Amino acid sequence: MLGPFSIDTPFPAFKAMGADLGATTEQMQLVVSAYLVAFGLMSPFHGPLSDALGRRRVILAGVAVYAVASIGCALSPSLPVLLAFRVLQGLSAGGGVIVSRTVIRDVFEGPQAQRLMSRVMMIFAVAPAVAPIVGGLLLQVGTWPVVFYFMAGVGLLLIVLVALLLPETHPPARRLPFRFGSLVGSLGQVARAGAFHRVAWAAGLSFAGQFLYIGSAPIFVVDLLGKGELDFWMFFVPMIGGVMLGSFLSGRAAGRISPSRLVTAALLFSMAGALVNVVLGTLPTAATLPWAVIGPALIAVGTAAAYPTLQLVLLDMFPASRGAAVSMFTFFTLILNGVSAFALAPFATRSVFSLAVVSAVFVAAGLGSWLLHLVSARREPHMAPDGADTLQPGEQV
């Protein structure tokens, strides 16, 4: 939950932070982008480090630095200083967010892994719904720095829980050599695989259609819908409800529907939801509830149903270096989301309709990348990992 919690908890405080730090609404979007881009830039290294040093060490070190960075955010006297500590938050948060997915695949495989990944997706979905509500409540008892002090407390709690409850799932006998060349080599192996790119972009682009709303939530909820700092739940609860429904469907489908069919059906559903969202954006009721949140919730159902299986497909392409695979995947996703939150949000958020159109373009691009992958796999079924999507999760292990 640490990744989305770090993004969404400060949203209700953006207005107060901007007034206190002398920043405009557009400049405050940098608070999101700085975290996401830093997370993305560091994400290629957390997984390989855990392949070499063990999962537990990397998680503990990353969350410890995250807690210190959160305190730095709370004490920041200016926007540049705040952004510097947000970068440090992004650089460290992946130690928990990325490596935890690799832990699942260390222990489970096949339908069982898919079901657990779906459950994790449901837990992941709770954070964006709870975080802005918590942020709004914290502002009732203190000024905006209290939000970051709370995030530091979450980090300290996670350190205690990991230290006491999480066993090491990647023993020394299975670890890769801790050499820079080996770490870069494992990343290069992943990056050179055409199938990896097709599946990673399918997941990243389709999720970007949903994340565009999450990253633009302060503008969407406050400026476009005219709501207040305690009203973020009106947007996040329907969207996260969609994520939880999609995750539930993904878990129920494990072992019953082939991965490729599940992903295809889920992404087609997301595309249908995106088109419904565009149509609703043309109506006079576009900026009113519940019409403004129906489309994003439908997109979330399809994205959440596809995402766990797409992650397992990527992990199974590289059984010897799963950390590198999940790191490269996270790198693509976070960089895409960070750039879109900064570069596209100011244009996309001019109206509810423009936001819906840009979201639909992302979803369509993700669906197109997946369909391209299916076509390529049929043409080259003998090639690994290009044919991995046609296998059940775990079949290559």
Side-chain angles (χ1 to χ4, degrees):
M1 296 175 68
L2 196 62
F5 214 82
S6 303
I7 299 168
D8 296 351
T9 307
F11 279 169
F14 267 27
K15 189 173 182 179
M17 290 165 62
D20 194 19
L21 302 177
T24 65
T25 301
E26 290 74 19
Q27 289 173 328
M28 287 304 299
Q29 285 298 115
L30 290 171
V31 176
V32 176
S33 296
Y35 172 85
L36 287 175
V37 172
F39 193 122
L41 291 175
M42 185 62 188
S43 60
F45 303 100
H46 286 297
L49 284 172
S50 74
D51 288 336
L53 301 176
R55 316 299 189 204
R56 203 163 172 271
R57 289 182 183 177
V58 175
I59 293 176
L60 286 171
V63 178
V65 174
Y66 173 87
V68 172
S70 298
I71 295 174
C73 288
L75 299 174
S76 297
S78 64
L79 182 62
V81 175
L82 174 62
L83 294 178
F85 280 109
R86 283 291 280 176
V87 167
L88 186 58
Q89 274 190 321
L91 292 174
S92 57
V97 177
I98 295 173
V99 179
S100 60
R101 296 180 227 170
T102 311
V103 169
I104 293 172
R105 194 59 193 85
D106 286 341
V107 181
F108 302 101
E109 63 180 61
Q112 191 175 12
Q114 183 176 336
R115 281 190 289 269
L116 185 57
M117 196 71 83
S118 298
R119 293 175 192 169
V120 171
M121 187 71 181
M122 294 177 71
I123 296 171
F124 180 85
V126 171
V130 173
I133 298 173
V134 171
L137 293 174
L138 289 170
L139 290 178
Q140 308 309 304
V141 298
T143 56
W144 65 263
V146 74
V147 173
F148 291 103
Y149 284 126
F150 175 79
M151 294 162 70
V154 171
L156 293 175
L157 175 62
L158 290 175
I159 291 173
V160 173
L161 291 176
V162 170
L164 296 178
L165 301 177
L166 183 68
E168 177 57 65
T169 63
H170 192 59
R174 293 166 53 189
R175 295 175 189 173
L176 299 177
F178 183 54
R179 296 193 300 266
F180 181 77
S182 299
L183 298 181
V184 174
S186 64
L187 292 172
Q189 178 193 11
V190 174
R192 287 192 299 269
F196 169 83
H197 284 278
R198 293 189 293 270
V199 176
W201 285 111
L205 288 166
S206 59
F207 182 71
Q210 174 186 340
F211 186 84
L212 183 66
Y213 279 90
I214 297 174
S216 304
I219 299 175
F220 180 63
V221 173
V222 178
D223 296 341
L224 296 181
L225 302 186
K227 303 301 179 181
E229 64 184 21
L230 293 177
D231 297 328
F232 281 79
W233 68 269
M234 297 180 182
F235 161 61
F236 279 104
V237 169
M239 174 175 277
I240 302 313
V243 174
M244 295 184 72
L245 175 59
S247 301
F248 171 78
L249 294 174
S250 174
R252 293 290 294 175
R256 295 183 173 93
I257 303 174
S258 69
S260 60
R261 289 182 179 179
L262 173 61
V263 172
T264 302
L267 294 183
L268 286 172
F269 187 92
S270 281
M271 189 71 251
L275 294 176
V276 168
N277 196 33
V278 171
V279 172
L280 292 174
T282 64
L283 302 178
T285 56
T288 61
L289 296 172
W291 312 109
V293 299
I294 290 176
L298 292 174
I299 294 171
V301 173
T303 301
Y307 212 75
T309 301
L310 287 169
Q311 289 187 91
L312 288 173
V313 169
L314 289 169
L315 286 169
D316 284 345
M317 288 179 182
F318 307 94
S321 52
R322 295 185 185 120
V326 76
S327 282
M328 287 300 295
F329 168 62
T330 306
F331 172 78
F332 282 120
T333 303
L334 268 294
I335 290 296
L336 175 64
N337 291 333
V339 171
S340 64
F342 173 67
L344 295 180
F347 303 99
T349 54
R350 291 177 178 176
S351 68
V352 173
F353 174 72
S354 62
L355 193 59
V357 170
V358 176
S359 174
V361 170
F362 275 128
V363 175
L367 174 61
S369 182
W370 173 251
L371 295 177
L372 176 62
H373 179 64
L374 293 181
V375 172
S376 299
R378 291 191 183 101
R379 289 177 178 173
E380 303 171 336
H382 62 288
M383 294 182 64
D386 295 75
D389 71 290
T390 60
L391 303 176
Q392 295 290 335
E395 189 171 335
Q396 285 191 329
V397 178

